[in-house]
Amino acid sequence: AMTLFPPDRVFVLGDLFDEGDISTAAGYEVYVDRFRSLFHVPAGTQLDAAVGNHDVGFHYRLRRDRLALFESAFKAPLVHLISDGAVHFVV
């Protein structure tokens, strides 16, 4: 799809990892590196990621340390607004 229809922006809608919520901090970095190698986007294409429960936990099990790792790796806080021209996305 990236070759046939080169998009300007790609959204990944959560659960980027299997066990990001229970991995070690070092294991989390391995997940991030693996994700980037499997789901590479070319230069000029914006990658936006929404956080999922398998990435940082859920409700009463939300891991703030994992949320900080996710935010740092993907520049994506738990809730944020993305505007692309006149189109707005609440992630």
Side-chain angles (χ1 to χ4, degrees):
M2 295 294 289
T3 303
L4 294 174
F5 309 102
D8 297 327
R9 174 170 252 130
V10 173
F11 286 92
V12 182
L13 301 179
D15 291 344
L16 283 64
F17 315 129
D18 267 342
E19 298 175 337
D21 59 329
I22 61 173
S23 70
T24 64
Y28 202 91
E29 295 303 319
V30 170
Y31 274 128
V32 171
D33 291 342
R34 185 176 71 178
F35 175 85
R36 290 197 188 284
S37 71
L38 292 172
F39 300 103
H40 172 75
V41 295
T45 301
Q46 177 67 40
L47 174 70
D48 294 296
V51 67
N53 64 311
H54 291 235
D55 305 322
V56 299
F58 190 63
H59 288 301
Y60 63 89
R61 287 188 49 223
L62 178 65
R63 303 254 331 247
R64 298 221 180 263
D65 60 327
R66 297 300 177 260
L67 183 56
L69 290 171
F70 189 92
E71 288 181 8
S72 175
F74 295 99
K75 308 299 183 251
L78 183 60
V79 177
H80 58 287
L81 175 67
I82 297 171
S83 295
D84 193 345
V87 179
H88 308 287
F89 302 92
V90 177
V91 181

